[in-house]
Each structure stands twice: as C-alpha cells, then as structure tokens.
C-alpha cells in the first residue's frame, strides 16, 4: 500500500527540484524527505529520481507516479471538501496568497461581500508577488492564490490546480509631467529613455520587457522597485519613465506625472486552488465573491 504522505513528498521534490528545497516547503528535514523517497521507491519497486549534482530529476517511472500522485491528492482534496461541507458548512478560515494590487482591486471587496453572504468564513491574507503565490499554494501554505500569467508559471492544463480567470489589466505609460513627449508618447518613442520597473523575477518585469521587445527595443531598466507607488514617485522626480498596471494607479496620488494609455501590454490575473479544493465550503463562496467583483472590473 502506497502512503499518501510519500506522494506529497514526491510532488514537492518534483516541484522544487532539490531535496533540500522540498524539505523546507514540507517543514521536514532533508534526511526525512530522503527516507520517504527511498520508502516510496521500495513500495513501487522502481527508482523514481536520478541525481544530477545537487538537483534531482524524475525517471520515466517517477513521471508516471507523479501523474497518479496529482490525481490521488486532488481526490483527497475533494474528499476533505465534502466532509467539511457535511460537518460545518460555510464556517472556517481560508488563507489567500495575493499580490498587493489584487488585494485592493478584488480580494478586499470580496471579503466585504463575504461578510453578508457567508459571515462564518474568515479570510487570512498573505501579501505575495504573483510568482510566489502559486508556490505557496502548492506547498499548502495557502488555500487559494491570486496570481498572474508569467513565463514559467503552471498553465491552465496543469493537473495540480483548478483556475478561475478574473480579469485582464492593461498597462499605462507614466512620464514626468515636463517630459518632451508627455502629450504624445508611444512605447516606441521611449526606446532610448531610462526606465523604472520591478526587479527581474517579478512577473510585471517580464510583461514590460516583452512589450518593449515587441516594439523593437529592450528597456534600459536603471531603477528597480516592486512597489508601484515608489515607481511613480521616481517618475515624478524625473528619474525615468515606466509602464504601470492600470489598477495600481487607481486612487494613487500622481504628483508630477502624466499617464498615457498605450495599446498592447496587459497582465492576466486568475485565482487558483489545489485541484479538488474548489468544492470546499469555505473556498467556494470566496471564489464566487471574487468572480462577482472581477466582473465589475472587466472580463478575464
């Protein structure tokens, strides 16, 4: 009989690529993770991983087992959801990993909706960049993630996750008020400018870089901040120009800058849960509230 705890360990190691990283995510020691893998290989009768330096890679049998592990763990999520629905109904806590703009735009309004529609549900919020929240979800540090599409992200066909598209958010150009092109700027006209934007690794950095490359240039990102208020402040100080998600500019003081709409770049925002958990009685009402709030912003 295969121990489901070892299937979780298998998936964590496959997700993180090293025993050490998987151990940290599972709150175990590397030695305990290695022991679980050895025990699982003994149960299966085949090697599941090969080692390459400090990392590990799935064997052919390991890939087969991972596919089945995803199915088994999703079924367990559904079983837990049905038992919870029978036992308590819409009562309990749900932890959400979400980036700052979406906390303001959709999550906070959804929490307000829940106060009326499902007052027994408590939402715990963890501020996490769009490329971090999915890892937190898969590592069971969060029950729901609000994330953005980015290179390397699990796609819609990923069998570990259930996804709900929320909204597509355009980016606007932000320039110093006295910039020579303040009244007529286009993306391509700013090719030689100094740029301000998030650090590499932030999904927004990828969106901005790709949009500029599509316009025929690579942006010279000299100043870096993941805080859009800081980005706008730097633009206002004349330090450079920026592309900023439109919702991040909403309700923000904009001294010393002008904002110009530009066609093209956008980020697609979605909610995700571990597959099977979308049936859970404390998750389902939150997903419904997020869908309703997002509809007021525009279709995802």
């Amino acid at each position: 009989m295969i121990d489901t705890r070892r299937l979780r360990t298998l998936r964590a190691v496959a997700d993180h690529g090293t025993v050490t990283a998987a151990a940290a995510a599972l709150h175990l020691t590397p030695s305990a993770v290695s022991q679980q893998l050895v025990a699982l290989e003994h149960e299966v009768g085949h090697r599941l991983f090969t080692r390459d330096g400090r990392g590990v890679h799935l064997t052919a049998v390991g890939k087969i087992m991972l596919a089945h592990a995803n199915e088994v763990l999703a079924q367990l999520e559904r079983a837990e959801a049905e038992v919870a629905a029978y036992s308590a109904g819409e009562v309990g806590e749900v932890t959400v990993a979400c980036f700052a703009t979406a906390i303001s735009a959709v999550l906070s309004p959804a929490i307000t909706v829940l106060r009326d529609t499902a007052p027994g549900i408590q939402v715990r919020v963890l501020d996490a960049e769009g490329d971090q929240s999915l890892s937190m979800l898969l590592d069971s540090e969060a029950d729901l993630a609000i994330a953005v599409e980015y290179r390397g992200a699990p796609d819609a066909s990923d069998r570990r996750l259930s996804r709900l598209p929320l909204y597509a958010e355009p980016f606007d150009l932000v320039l110093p008020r006295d910039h020579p092109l303040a009244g007529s700027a286009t993306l391509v006209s700013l090719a030689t400018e100094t740029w301000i934007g998030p650090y590499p690794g932030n999904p927004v950095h990828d969106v901005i870089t790709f949009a500029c490359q599509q316009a025929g240039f690579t942006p010279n990102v000299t100043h870096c901040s993941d805080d859009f208020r800081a980005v706008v402040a730097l633009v206002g100080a004349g330090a450079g120009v920026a592309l900023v998600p439109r919702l991040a500019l909403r309700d923000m003081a904009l001294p010393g800058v002008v904002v110009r709409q530009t066609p093209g770049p956008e980020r697609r925002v979605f909610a995700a849960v571990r597959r099977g958990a979308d049936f859970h009685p404390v998750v389902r009402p939150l997903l419904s509230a997020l869908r309703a709030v997002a509809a007021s912003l525009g279709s995802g």
Side-chain angles (χ1 to χ4, degrees):
M1 183 69 67
I2 295 174
D3 190 327
T4 55
R5 292 174 299 177
R6 292 169 187 157
L7 295 180
R8 294 187 191 278
T9 301
L10 169 71
R11 186 160 79 176
V13 174
D15 285 345
H16 291 279
T18 70
V19 169
T20 301
L26 295 169
H27 305 290
L28 298 171
T29 65
S31 149
V33 169
S34 294
Q35 290 172 11
Q36 291 205 28
L37 293 179
V38 169
L40 182 59
E41 288 179 331
H42 178 74
E43 290 171 341
V44 173
H46 292 274
R47 292 190 65 185
L48 303 177
F49 291 94
T50 58
R51 283 169 173 74
D52 178 15
R54 299 169 67 179
V56 293
H57 301 280
L58 288 168
T59 64
V61 174
K63 292 177 182 177
I64 293 171
M65 284 302 303
L66 179 61
H68 285 288
N70 288 332
E71 296 296 326
V72 169
L73 295 175
Q75 189 62 43
L76 287 175
E77 293 278 1
R78 282 192 288 271
E80 291 174 4
E82 290 182 16
V83 171
Y86 177 83
S87 302
E90 295 179 351
V91 177
E93 181 180 87
V94 56
T95 299
V96 182
C98 180
F99 60 98
T101 303
I103 290 175
S104 299
V106 290
L107 182 55
S108 293
I111 291 172
T112 300
V113 170
L114 287 182
R115 289 201 188 110
D116 295 327
T117 60
I121 295 176
Q122 301 298 314
V123 180
R124 175 173 172 253
V125 180
L126 302 177
D127 189 340
E129 291 297 336
D131 58 332
Q132 298 171 335
S133 58
L134 292 177
S135 294
M136 295 171 71
L137 175 66
L138 291 170
D139 290 339
S140 298
E141 296 175 31
D143 304 305
L144 186 150
I146 298 179
V148 297
E149 301 284 2
Y150 63 93
R151 286 183 286 186
D155 62 25
S157 66
D158 193 300
R159 301 293 290 171
R160 299 169 297 174
L161 301 172
S162 293
R163 295 171 31 140
L164 171 67
L166 292 177
Y167 60 91
E169 180 181 13
F171 282 63
D172 291 331
L173 285 168
V174 183
L175 298 89
R177 190 175 301 279
D178 60 357
H179 193 284
L181 297 175
S184 60
T186 62
L187 196 55
V188 69
S189 71
L190 300 173
T192 61
E193 296 288 329
T194 296
W195 284 78
I196 306 162
Y199 285 97
N202 186 315
V204 173
H205 179 93
D206 284 350
V207 172
I208 293 170
T209 301
F210 182 72
C212 292
Q213 288 173 343
Q214 290 292 98
F217 69 97
T218 298
N220 175 26
V221 181
T222 302
H223 310 289
C224 292
S225 175
D226 290 331
D227 183 336
F228 292 119
R229 292 184 183 276
V231 169
V232 171
L234 286 168
V235 174
V241 300
L243 273 170
V244 178
R246 185 168 297 168
L247 288 176
L249 295 169
R250 189 176 66 175
D251 301 325
M252 186 190 296
L254 300 170
V257 306
V258 294
V259 177
R260 294 286 178 262
Q261 294 185 8
T262 185
E266 65 178 17
R267 63 175 174 180
R268 304 192 69 81
V269 180
F270 62 93
V273 296
R274 292 182 296 278
R275 194 160 62 92
D278 40 337
F279 296 97
H280 198 287
V282 301
V283 172
R284 188 169 49 205
L286 178 54
L287 288 172
S288 296
L290 287 168
R291 183 186 293 111
V293 172
S296 70
L297 301 175
S299 172

